[in-house]
Amino acid sequence: MQTFSITDTGRMRTANQDYIFCQDKEIGSFPNLFIVADGMGGHNAGDTASRMCVEEVVSQIQKSTEITPIGIFEQAVAAANEKVYQTSNEDPAYFGMGTTIVAAMVLGKMVYIVNVGDSRLYVCKETLSQVTVDHSLVEEMVQSGKLQKEEMRTHPNKNIITRALGTNPEVKADCFEIEVEEGDVLLLCSDGLSNMLEDKTIESIIKQNEENMEKAAKQLVDEANAAGGKDNISVVLVRI
């Protein structure tokens, strides 16, 4: 397994509200763990929400007594949601804060994934395909036939998410299981990447650098900044 992670403030923001985690060693009963969280709220609130979310998920996975990978993920996300929500209600400085999360674990040929919000997981095999489904207004418009998939990136309401961690007492996370083979690449990213670059551009960069995850990740960030860098950009790449 070859991994690399990077997060960048981008060109338009003064602070980075993304928070990432990338570990290819054992953590609790998981052999590895990869997370991207994109915080929202005021300047400090978004930073706090994403960091708190990731730290709590990692902590819960380390001590979880759940049996299945999906069960572990669901329990960890629920605990993180409760912690972020409680903090936002107890401290006025953090009121209304929340965060997206996308997390993955690779076990043999299987990848277990959990997500809330519009941070994404892609898998690059022969071609790049999006595994997670955005919890966003534009995704709902695509599902209802009011918008074409290709128009999501440039729609004025593309940043409106319909589900986030920490904004309600409970949250429903989506879970996925996919099969991978040697040479496949997983990409976890915040919308600072996916809103700036078309999927075909992301695919091309990964394919051109499929032996070098560090080079691929840095080029993805560079291209997102060159396209405008309107948001924080986070990339986690995992080559099976």
Side-chain angles (χ1 to χ4, degrees), residues 48-128:
T48 301
S50 59
R51 176 184 53 78
M52 187 179 291
C53 165
V54 172
E55 289 176 350
E56 185 65 15
V57 166
V58 171
S59 173
Q60 291 293 327
I61 288 172
Q62 285 173 327
K63 61 188 180 186
S64 180
T65 55
E66 292 286 335
I67 304 300
T68 66
I70 293 300
I72 293 169
F73 265 144
E74 287 181 329
Q75 185 268 330
V77 167
N81 182 76
E82 185 178 349
K83 186 161 189 175
V84 174
Y85 182 72
Q86 262 188 346
T87 304
S88 74
N89 282 309
E90 291 168 359
D91 190 334
Y94 299 139
F95 181 74
M97 73 176 177
T99 182
T100 71
I101 182 173
V102 60
M105 180 271 279
V106 183
L107 182 62
K109 288 192 171 185
M110 297 302 297
V111 183
Y112 299 90
I113 303 148
V114 64
N115 88 289
V116 179
D118 62 354
S119 292
R120 295 177 176 178
L121 184 139
Y122 293 87
V123 61
C124 191
K125 294 176 175 281
E126 294 302 315
T127 57
L128 184 79

Side-chain angles (χ1 to χ4, degrees), residues 27-213:
I27 177 163
S29 62
F30 280 10
N32 47 68
L33 180 62
F34 310 99
I35 310 173
V36 169
D38 180 357
M40 61 187 204
H43 175 78
N44 291 325
D47 303 358
T48 301
S50 59
R51 176 184 53 78
M52 187 179 291
C53 165
V54 172
E55 289 176 350
E56 185 65 15
V57 166
V58 171
S59 173
Q60 291 293 327
I61 288 172
Q62 285 173 327
K63 61 188 180 186
S64 180
T65 55
E66 292 286 335
I67 304 300
T68 66
I70 293 300
I72 293 169
F73 265 144
E74 287 181 329
Q75 185 268 330
V77 167
N81 182 76
E82 185 178 349
K83 186 161 189 175
V84 174
Y85 182 72
Q86 262 188 346
T87 304
S88 74
N89 282 309
E90 291 168 359
D91 190 334
Y94 299 139
F95 181 74
M97 73 176 177
T99 182
T100 71
I101 182 173
V102 60
M105 180 271 279
V106 183
L107 182 62
K109 288 192 171 185
M110 297 302 297
V111 183
Y112 299 90
I113 303 148
V114 64
N115 88 289
V116 179
D118 62 354
S119 292
R120 295 177 176 178
L121 184 139
Y122 293 87
V123 61
C124 191
K125 294 176 175 281
E126 294 302 315
T127 57
L128 184 79
S129 58
Q130 183 181 336
V131 177
T132 54
V133 179
D134 296 351
H135 301 135
S136 68
L137 182 62
V138 289
E139 179 64 42
E140 290 184 357
M141 292 169 72
V142 169
Q143 297 293 335
S144 65
K146 295 176 183 175
L147 192 70
Q148 295 297 311
K149 185 80 173 172
E150 298 74 29
E151 298 173 307
M152 289 176 68
R153 285 180 51 251
T154 55
H155 195 277
N157 292 329
K158 65 179 181 292
N159 292 322
I160 299 176
I161 59 175
T162 54
R163 201 185 303 178
L165 184 147
T167 56
N168 289 291
E170 295 181 354
V171 69
K172 184 184 185 305
D174 287 351
C175 299
F176 305 86
E177 298 177 29
I178 62 169
E179 197 166 331
V180 287
E181 299 173 357
E182 188 174 333
D184 291 352
V185 175
L186 304 175
L187 164 65
L188 293 78
C189 66
S190 60
D191 66 344
L193 181 78
S194 55
N195 280 343
M196 288 292 101
L197 300 181
E198 294 183 1
D199 286 3
K200 63 182 181 181
T201 303
I202 295 172
E203 177 187 307
S204 175
I205 292 170
I206 292 173
K207 288 286 190 183
Q208 288 168 15
N209 301 285
E210 58 186 0
E211 302 280 328
N212 190 330
M213 293 297 94

